[in-house]
Amino acid sequence: MKELEAELQTIKSQGLYRSLKTSSGRCVCSNDYLGLARDERIRAAIVDALESGVPHGSTGSRLLAGHHAEFDALERAFAQWQGSEAALFFGSGYAANLGLLTALLDSDSLVLSDELNHASLIDGLRLTKAPRKVIPHLDLSAYERALSEGRRGQSYVVVESLYGMDGDIAPLRELADLCRKYKARLIVDEAHATGLFGRAGAGLVSQLGVRDAVFASVHTCGKALGHMGAFICGSADLKSFLINRSRSFIFSTALPPFMAVGLLKAIEIIASDEELRSRPAKLGARLRKRLEGRVDTGMSASQIVPLIVGEGALALSLAKQLAQRGWDARAIRPPTVPEGTCRIRLALHNGISDEELEQLGSDILIALELQEGREDEFIT
């Protein structure tokens, strides 16, 4: 155990030690953007399903005893919502990304992966034999240069539509044009956009009109949908292929079927309420305007507003200052973000009132003022 103790000490000395703690104060770090994780309409739908006999456990993988009629209904509804031919339900966004990439890619493939892609995409690529090129964040020229070099096998471009640590939006139309030009396949992770943007909340692929150019899109359910699990959307052939080749699908116990009932209700609520869907991004715009010129918020254009302060000690200090004012805002440090870009990641959601948003802006400005000239007091 000494090697573990030594490694933990190294992590602590670098200011990167983490521990688990329950949320306290007014939370501005939750991905429950629409407040559906506690929605009584969804709770009632789940309770009704359980009382009618829908099992609270799936009992096995989807290819064994774990497949239930509720999953069929949910996948049909999700595909229709997304405007795709088919959808396949996974246990998590991590499992979906690993399962998609490891099933599709081989040693002849070429993968272009954005440098700020989520860890699940990075790990999925690492588990394949496909050569990969890491592209500077959303650098269209770099994508085109890499695609123009050609490859014996199939080329793939892998991006997120909305980046969860920066809040910026990928130029999906331009990427779609490049993929058409060079016959590459575009894979888009819509984790932070699903439920918030596009037709009936379908996401940015929908909003930007590039569904036909996207080979596969991934949609997690643990964020705006207030649940758990994830979907891969694409062609019917892709769905069948994944059922047969995706190891994270084949070898995982299915989620409880009552979750499918809750997700159906969440989709219904989201699709019918434009104000519910649009408010988080409006909150983000208001906060960025309030903070303009006082702190770096990057290229954020969404409900995610980073307060980029650089060093880990600065981020930890700012989080402590905000906690003293009643806010649960967490410091984000490497390896989640690159060195020198430590930050507070604010996730604005419908649980924040207009008055609370104004107070949050004021408290951030006060905390920033207190930080100036006090580097020697920052915690490490």
Side-chain angles (χ1 to χ4, degrees):
M1 299 295 290
K2 289 184 178 180
E3 69 276 12
L4 298 183
E5 292 177 4
E7 183 62 24
L8 284 170
Q9 189 56 47
T10 298
I11 292 171
K12 289 178 180 178
S13 69
Q14 295 171 340
L16 300 178
Y17 185 76
R18 296 160 171 83
S19 59
L20 300 175
K21 62 178 181 179
T22 56
S23 183
S24 60
R26 291 167 288 181
C27 182
V28 284
C29 58
S30 169
N31 291 329
D32 184 21
Y33 301 125
L34 302 181
L36 295 185
R38 298 178 181 274
D39 190 281
E40 289 299 328
R41 294 165 292 180
I42 295 173
R43 188 191 305 272
I46 291 173
V47 169
D48 288 347
L50 290 169
E51 290 182 344
S52 69
V54 174
H56 60 263
S58 66
T59 78
S61 76
R62 293 276 298 278
L63 288 172
L64 296 175
H67 183 63
H68 297 263
E70 289 78 10
F71 294 136
D72 283 330
L74 176 61
E75 288 173 345
R76 285 194 298 270
F78 203 93
Q80 183 177 15
W81 184 40
Q82 289 297 317
S84 65
E85 192 174 33
L88 185 63
F89 190 40
F90 282 72
S92 70
Y94 205 103
N97 279 331
L98 261 66
L100 174 66
L101 296 171
T102 55
L104 283 176
L105 305 179
D106 58 30
S107 58
D108 288 333
S109 305
L110 170 66
V111 186
L112 310 183
S113 176
D114 193 273
E115 67 176 338
L116 296 187
N117 276 346
H118 188 265
S120 58
L121 294 168
I122 295 170
D123 290 352
L125 294 176
R126 285 174 174 169
L127 289 172
T128 75
K129 297 179 180 179
R132 60 186 182 274
K133 294 184 179 181
V134 178
I135 305 298
H137 185 48
L138 303 180
D139 186 333
L140 291 171
S141 297
Y143 276 105
E144 180 153 27
R145 284 194 300 271
L147 287 170
S148 67
E149 294 173 1
R151 181 73 187 173
R152 180 176 62 183
Q154 179 64 54
S155 295
Y156 293 85
V157 172
V158 180
V159 297
E160 298 180 45
S161 62
L162 171 55
Y163 280 81
M165 286 297 133
D166 291 78
D168 57 338
I169 293 173
L172 293 182
R173 287 177 180 148
E174 292 82 355
L175 288 168
D177 288 341
L178 287 176
C179 287
R180 292 188 189 99
K181 180 178 179 180
Y182 294 101
K183 296 181 171 55
R185 290 175 174 173
L186 180 58
I187 294 174
V188 182
D189 185 331
E190 289 251 66
H192 294 277
T194 305
L196 297 160
F197 299 89
R199 177 192 56 82
L204 284 163
V205 168
S206 167
Q207 179 168 306
L208 298 174
V210 294
R211 170 60 62 191
D212 291 345
V214 173
F215 180 74
S217 59
V218 182
H219 308 262
T220 59
C221 305
K223 296 179 173 61
L225 274 70
H227 279 266
M228 64 183 300
F231 289 87
I232 295 175
C233 292
S235 68
D237 283 345
L238 175 62
K239 177 176 180 175
S240 295
F241 180 80
L242 293 174
I243 289 171
N244 284 276
R245 290 292 178 86
S246 175
R247 292 172 67 85
S248 62
F249 178 84
I250 295 168
F251 296 107
S252 292
T253 296
L255 290 177
F258 71 81
M259 293 296 298
V261 177
L263 280 166
L264 279 172
K265 177 57 72 171
I267 294 169
E268 176 188 319
I269 292 169
I270 290 169
S272 64
D273 193 337
E274 193 277 335
E275 175 56 28
L276 178 82
R277 302 191 303 264
S278 63
R279 187 169 181 271
K282 293 176 182 176
L283 293 175
R286 286 171 53 190
L287 185 62
R288 285 192 301 275
K289 184 176 181 180
R290 180 80 183 277
L291 301 177
E292 189 174 2
R294 291 293 293 113
V295 64
D296 182 8
T297 58
M299 297 299 291
S300 170
S302 68
Q303 77 280 5
I304 299 166
V305 180
L307 310 179
I308 304 170
V309 293
E311 298 303 316
L314 293 170
L316 288 165
S317 174
L318 185 55
K320 183 178 180 180
Q321 292 284 347
L322 291 173
Q324 291 172 352
R325 288 163 178 77
W327 299 100
D328 184 3
R330 309 290 175 96
I332 308 296
R333 295 158 287 161
T336 308
V337 294
E339 293 281 354
T341 68
C342 296
R343 68 198 64 191
I344 300 296
R345 174 195 182 268
L346 299 175
L348 302 178
H349 53 81
N350 282 342
I352 301 171
S353 69
D354 292 344
E355 293 76 18
E356 285 175 322
L357 185 74
E358 291 302 311
Q359 186 62 54
L360 174 61
S362 297
D363 288 343
I364 291 170
L365 292 173
I366 292 170
L368 290 169
E369 289 175 3
L370 289 173
Q371 275 196 343
E372 292 178 358
R374 296 176 58 187
E375 287 85 355
D376 58 322
E377 298 181 20
F378 292 157
I379 57 175
T380 59

